[in-house]
Amino acid sequence: TTNKISYLSIDMNHEIPERPLVGRLAPSPTGAQHIGNARTYLLAWLSIRSRGGKLILRMEDIDSPRIKPGAAQQAIDDLCWLGLDWDEGPDIGGPHAPYVQTERRESYQAALNLLKSAEQVYPCTCTRSDISAAASAPHAGLEGPHYPGTCSHRSVKDGEELSSRGQPFAWRFRTTSTRHELHDRIAGKLSCNVHEELGDFVVYKSDGSPAYQLAVVRDDLAMGVTEVLRGDDLLPSAFRQLDLYRFFRATPPEFAHVPLVIGEDGRRLAKRHGDTRISLLREQGAAAAKFVGFLAWSLGLRPTANLVTPKELLADFHFDQLPSGPFVFTNTMLHELLR
Ligand code: GLU
Ligand code: ZN
């Protein structure tokens, strides 16, 4: 296993001091991409392209029960319509192919094996309701309650016995009480003790598929990604991912977490706020430059929402104009865009 670890480390390039700038666009084809996604993709593209870096398009389709047929192609069409491009991706290939997560299972399995040989994971048989019942302070929200460590007494070997009894289980990462510091390019300086604030997290699900945390870290390392720009709903995940980077003894990418787009009711943009799919704008014949102009204004890159292309935004792009809070998307704005 020592051999394997050093092989994986070399593969991850963590000793090269000056890494070429690489970003990624990572849509989940669990449904249509909406204006919030478009805003993040535009910013991710501008951040990398304004500094002459490379972009990778990666389809994050491991969440199999929620994947919608046709959504991957639709995401590609949306990005093209916006005027964004990339240097590597499922549609054009590249040196880090494949660019579709369901085609990269061996790589995630290898990462899980490393975690197992270091006893860094343990089998967890808890159901969702077990966890909420045992958690002392369940905080609602996407992240679910703090995992109370119910199964942490188990070792990797216990997994064999559970399997032989046909008992399903997930693999959970064994966190230790360390405080991670994060200098986020947008959110600023933050810190978190994953063990205390979030708890041990799943890296492989009970259906035998890799969990988001492991897949995304493994891919970002394998693909040489140096900047991860995404929605700030994933900020807690960034700290979990830092635990994984530390385990793999690899340099984490720079993080930039963009405040989300919310509706007038203050809630995260969803179906109840009307149809904000990029594909709808496209199908209704809206001009991409008008939509990009709107996004640029929402990002503080332009004083008014005028027609503009992503390329035209490159010249004077800066992070410092970004508004710090979430962006409120109103019904009036939606009607204006569709007009
Ligand atoms: N695929 C995720 C999403 O669409 C993004 C994950 C990431 O950027 O790390 O929300
Ligand atoms: Zn458990």
Side-chain angles (χ1 to χ4, degrees):
T1 48
T2 324
N3 262 344
K4 240 184 181 169
I5 289 172
S6 60
Y7 164 73
L8 206 68
S9 307
I10 290 163
D11 177 23
M12 287 164 179
N13 282 341
H14 73 283
E15 267 155 356
I16 299 171
E18 277 294 310
R19 300 186 291 178
L21 192 63
V22 181
R24 69 341 184 247
L25 308 171
S28 294
T30 48
Q33 308 294 311
H34 56 72
I35 92 131
N37 302 118
R39 192 169 177 261
T40 306
Y41 298 139
L42 174 63
L43 198 58
W45 186 91
L46 287 170
S47 174
I48 295 294
R49 290 295 195 224
S50 63
R51 291 173 289 160
K54 286 200 162 172
L55 270 160
I56 295 176
L57 175 65
R58 185 172 71 223
M59 278 302 152
E60 306 215 315
D61 64 343
I62 46 166
D63 205 359
S64 39
R66 294 171 55 228
I67 299 303
K68 304 272 183 317
Q73 187 55 49
Q74 194 180 60
I76 292 179
D77 295 345
D78 289 344
L79 291 164
C80 290
W81 178 75
L82 285 168
L84 306 183
D85 64 352
W86 44 92
D87 307 287
E88 303 174 30
D91 53 336
I92 51 175
H96 303 99
Y99 296 94
V100 177
Q101 286 192 324
T102 47
E103 293 169 21
R104 303 178 62 82
R105 289 181 186 279
E106 276 169 38
S107 163
Y108 311 135
Q109 193 64 53
L112 175 65
N113 289 342
L114 284 180
L115 288 159
K116 280 159 83 173
S117 43
E119 283 290 338
Q120 193 63 57
V121 287
Y122 58 84
C124 168
T125 51
C126 297
T127 61
R128 227 174 261 267
S129 54
D130 287 341
I131 297 168
S132 1
S136 49
H139 37 114
L142 288 172
E143 300 290 332
H146 180 283
Y147 179 69
T150 320
C151 300
S152 62
H153 62 278
R154 291 213 182 101
S155 66
V156 168
K157 216 168 149 287
D158 295 327
E160 290 166 25
E161 198 225 309
L162 291 167
S163 298
S164 69
R165 282 196 274 130
Q167 160 103 54
F169 62 85
W171 289 105
R172 242 177 230 279
F173 185 88
R174 193 184 294 282
T175 56
T176 51
S177 193
T178 41
R179 185 155 281 277
H180 287 296
E181 291 242 322
L182 180 66
H183 297 262
D184 191 279
R185 290 193 74 197
I186 299 171
K189 202 171 156 181
L190 299 163
S191 77
C192 175
N193 182 323
V194 179
H195 184 69
E196 267 153 34
E197 292 166 45
L198 303 168
D200 295 348
F201 55 91
V202 172
V203 291
Y204 245 79
K205 297 185 275 188
S206 58
D207 65 4
S209 67
Y212 158 71
Q213 309 293 355
L214 184 63
V216 87
V217 167
R218 186 63 192 101
D219 286 348
D220 283 338
L221 281 171
M223 295 177 179
V225 169
T226 61
E227 177 170 285
V228 167
L229 189 151
R230 60 190 174 195
D232 69 1
D233 53 325
L234 288 168
L235 256 175
S237 287
F239 290 104
R240 297 185 178 101
Q241 291 164 18
L242 286 176
D243 263 345
L244 288 169
Y245 281 103
R246 175 177 294 197
F247 171 79
F248 291 124
R249 290 184 223 146
T251 305
E254 269 213 279
F255 288 105
H257 288 89
V258 199
L260 292 185
V261 176
I262 58 173
E264 284 168 279
D265 55 0
R267 292 160 79 186
R268 188 194 166 105
L269 208 61
K271 286 223 173 75
R272 66 177 162 271
H273 297 112
D275 196 340
T276 67
R277 288 175 301 143
I278 307 170
S279 55
L280 178 77
L281 292 174
R282 215 158 29 88
E283 284 153 18
Q284 303 258 312
K290 182 176 169 186
F291 183 46
V292 172
F294 169 77
L295 295 175
W297 166 76
S298 84
L299 288 164
L301 303 176
R302 285 289 182 275
T304 49
N306 291 331
L307 303 191
V308 73
T309 63
K311 278 209 177 83
E312 288 164 349
L313 291 168
L314 283 177
D316 59 349
F317 176 74
H318 277 294
F319 262 103
D320 13 298
Q321 300 127 316
L322 295 183
S324 56
F327 175 74
V328 183
F329 187 66
T330 66
N331 240 314
T332 320
M333 291 172 187
L334 181 58
H335 286 127
E336 177 57 30
L337 284 172
L338 287 168
R339 208 160 53 92

